[in-house]
Amino acid sequence: MLGRALIRTFLSPAPVAACTTQISGVHHHKEATDMKRFTGVERSNKAKANRNTHVNEKMFRRMRGRKTLIVELPEDSAKEKEADMAPGEMRTELLKRGLNPYKEAAPRVWNEAQVTFQSIYGIADPYVPPENPGSFTDVNNKFDEVKQRIQHKFYNWRMGTNRIRKKQGFEKFDVKTFCAKAEDIYVRAHKALEARDKKEMYRCITEYAFAKMWPDVENGSVRFELVEVVEPSRVVAVRCFDNPPKSGNDIAQITVRMHTKQKLAVYDRFGGLILGSENEEKDVVEYVVFENHIAVVDGEWRLHGKIYPRWIEPKQGMHITKELTDEDMMRQQDKAKALPLRTTEKLEEEKMKKEKGITDD
């Protein structure tokens, strides 16, 4: 009996303080044999969104609320309202905030761009094939050049002539008869630029070309004369595209190679020669782009821009220089001698301070 009592004493559990445990109420049955339920891929109780949802969620409501931090963010709608405000309304709003609208507020910055649907600001395909075929020494370059030429001719037909002829009023369009028209537009555009006739310029050039050509005569002048056409002009590229894309608003661009002999002189606002000469004739080879809004029946061809291929050296402007005469040299020397040196001025200032008894301290 004593032995049994001792055994019961040693085997009996030690007294434990009373405690409470939170029952999760999660269905863990059959997870030992089901790997998907054990890893959490599938829920044992599909009615519950979370596998570890507690039975009594009210106990932890305050604790979950403490995890949320409320941050006051500025309203985006306020900036939109300010952008739409009139100057008077904006001034009243700044005064309500206690800000001086003339000192503490930054001025508005307006980013505006002109949009037109009858022309495009740029050239669709500025590629021009070289006039002289490349040498056969480099096989890779020769293959690439032949490939580009074939693609270029295909695009001229597929995305150019064929697409233009489908438009109303352009069924009989032919690139062979277009060159004479292009030369006439080219001359009329430069004559209108020389005369500063804006109405005639808008008939002959697009908005894109006007932004580039008008500054030459806005603060200066241009003199132009076409002496002769050295080689017959020919069309080298025809492109047609719609702007915006897939809208049906088709715009056509034709690149014409023009080899002419002309006189061109550009002067600044003081009458100084900047570029070219009125008396000297010069051979010029240009690739001029003409554009037409073919989506409408009354569209007209206008000068749009020029292409400068990579194999052509860019034009260099004239350096504005002037030869000084002997009188100019003497005048400049007299002006230089009349200017006082800074060291002399410093010595005179120190001398005046000493006479007045003023010290740096």
Side-chain angles (χ1 to χ4, degrees):
M1 295 296 291
L2 181 60
R4 290 180 180 178
L6 292 172
I7 291 171
R8 288 177 181 175
T9 304
F10 286 113
L11 294 179
S12 60
V16 181
C19 63
T20 59
T21 58
Q22 172 67 29
I23 301 173
S24 61
V26 181
H27 300 270
H28 292 285
H29 59 279
K30 298 182 180 180
E31 287 191 354
T33 58
D34 193 345
M35 181 56 67
K36 288 187 177 180
R37 289 185 180 182
F38 181 76
T39 55
V41 176
E42 291 184 357
R43 296 193 295 270
S44 56
N45 187 359
K46 296 183 179 180
K48 292 185 178 181
N50 189 0
R51 292 179 67 253
N52 298 323
T53 303
H54 300 286
V55 174
N56 190 2
E57 294 186 357
K58 293 182 179 179
M59 295 176 58
F60 305 97
R61 183 178 296 175
R62 292 184 178 179
M63 297 179 66
R64 288 197 304 272
R66 292 170 187 169
K67 294 191 299 181
T68 306
L69 180 63
I70 300 175
V71 180
E72 294 183 1
L73 298 176
E75 296 182 2
D76 295 336
S77 59
K79 295 182 179 179
E80 296 178 359
K81 290 180 181 178
E82 290 179 1
D84 297 336
M85 284 183 181
E89 296 177 356
M90 190 67 186
R91 178 177 175 275
T92 306
E93 183 67 22
L94 292 174
L95 290 174
K96 288 180 181 179
R97 299 178 190 174
L99 300 176
N100 189 342
Y102 303 103
K103 293 183 179 180
E104 301 178 9
R108 294 183 182 180
V109 180
W110 302 97
N111 296 325
E112 297 181 355
Q114 184 178 355
V115 178
T116 176
F117 292 98
Q118 64 179 359
S119 179
I120 186 171
Y121 282 79
I123 299 173
D125 188 4
Y127 170 74
V128 175
E131 297 185 3
N132 300 323
S135 61
F136 288 89
T137 55
D138 194 347
V139 180
N140 294 330
N141 292 343
K142 185 62 181 177
F143 177 76
D144 294 340
E145 181 181 332
V146 173
K147 182 180 177 182
Q148 286 181 346
R149 284 176 180 271
I150 295 173
Q151 288 180 348
H152 189 67
K153 289 183 178 180
F154 173 73
Y155 290 146
N156 284 345
W157 174 80
R158 181 70 179 84
M159 303 300 296
T161 309
N162 186 36
R163 192 166 171 180
I164 293 174
R165 288 174 180 171
K166 292 181 180 179
K167 290 294 181 180
Q168 182 181 0
F170 296 91
E171 294 84 358
K172 298 182 180 180
F173 174 77
D174 189 5
V175 294
K176 295 180 180 179
T177 60
F178 178 76
C179 295
K181 194 175 199 177
E183 293 174 359
D184 180 54
I185 296 171
Y186 182 83
V187 175
R188 285 170 50 201
H190 284 80
K191 288 296 181 182
L193 179 68
E194 183 179 358
R196 300 185 182 184
D197 188 354
K198 287 188 177 181
K199 291 184 178 180
E200 182 65 19
M201 288 181 67
Y202 276 119
R203 295 192 191 100
C204 301
I205 68 176
T206 61
E207 291 80 0
Y208 175 77
F210 183 86
K212 292 188 174 183
M213 297 175 65
W214 182 252
D216 292 338
V217 296
E218 186 177 13
N219 296 320
S221 58
V222 173
R223 296 292 180 268
F224 173 81
E225 180 184 355
L226 182 65
V227 180
E228 63 174 334
V229 179
V230 180
E231 295 182 15
S233 303
R234 55 186 175 88
V235 176
V236 296
V238 184
R239 292 292 183 273
C240 184
F241 53 93
D242 49 351
N243 182 39
K246 298 182 181 180
S247 62
N249 187 47
D250 288 354
I251 298 173
Q253 289 184 354
I254 297 180
T255 305
V256 181
R257 179 188 180 275
M258 302 178 66
H259 185 189
T260 59
K261 185 178 289 185
Q262 57 183 250
K263 298 178 183 178
L264 178 66
V266 181
Y267 297 92
D268 59 8
R269 60 178 180 171
F270 302 108
L273 184 64
I274 299 176
L275 181 68
S277 174
E278 289 191 55
N279 303 320
E280 183 182 355
E281 301 177 359
K282 190 174 182 180
D283 287 350
V284 180
V285 177
E286 296 175 308
Y287 291 87
V288 188
V289 181
F290 297 88
E291 188 181 81
N292 190 352
H293 186 211
I294 62 175
V296 296
V297 181
D298 56 348
E300 296 182 358
W301 291 101
R302 299 185 295 173
L303 193 150
H304 184 67
K306 296 181 182 179
I307 297 177
Y308 300 95
R310 59 190 178 190
W311 40 269
I312 285 184
E313 296 182 0
K315 296 180 180 179
Q316 299 293 336
M318 179 181 294
H319 297 285
I320 302 175
T321 58
K322 181 181 178 181
E323 185 178 358
L324 297 177
T325 60
D326 295 338
E327 295 180 358
D328 296 335
M329 293 290 293
M330 293 295 294
R331 194 180 298 110
Q332 288 188 357
Q333 290 178 2
D334 295 339
K335 289 182 179 179
K337 291 178 180 179
L339 291 174
L341 296 176
R342 184 58 182 165
T343 54
T344 308
E345 294 179 353
K346 280 286 186 181
L347 293 173
E348 291 180 357
E349 290 177 1
E350 291 179 359
K351 186 177 180 181
M352 292 292 292
K353 287 181 180 180
K354 289 181 179 179
E355 291 178 355
K356 294 181 180 180
I358 301 174
T359 59
D360 295 334
D361 297 332

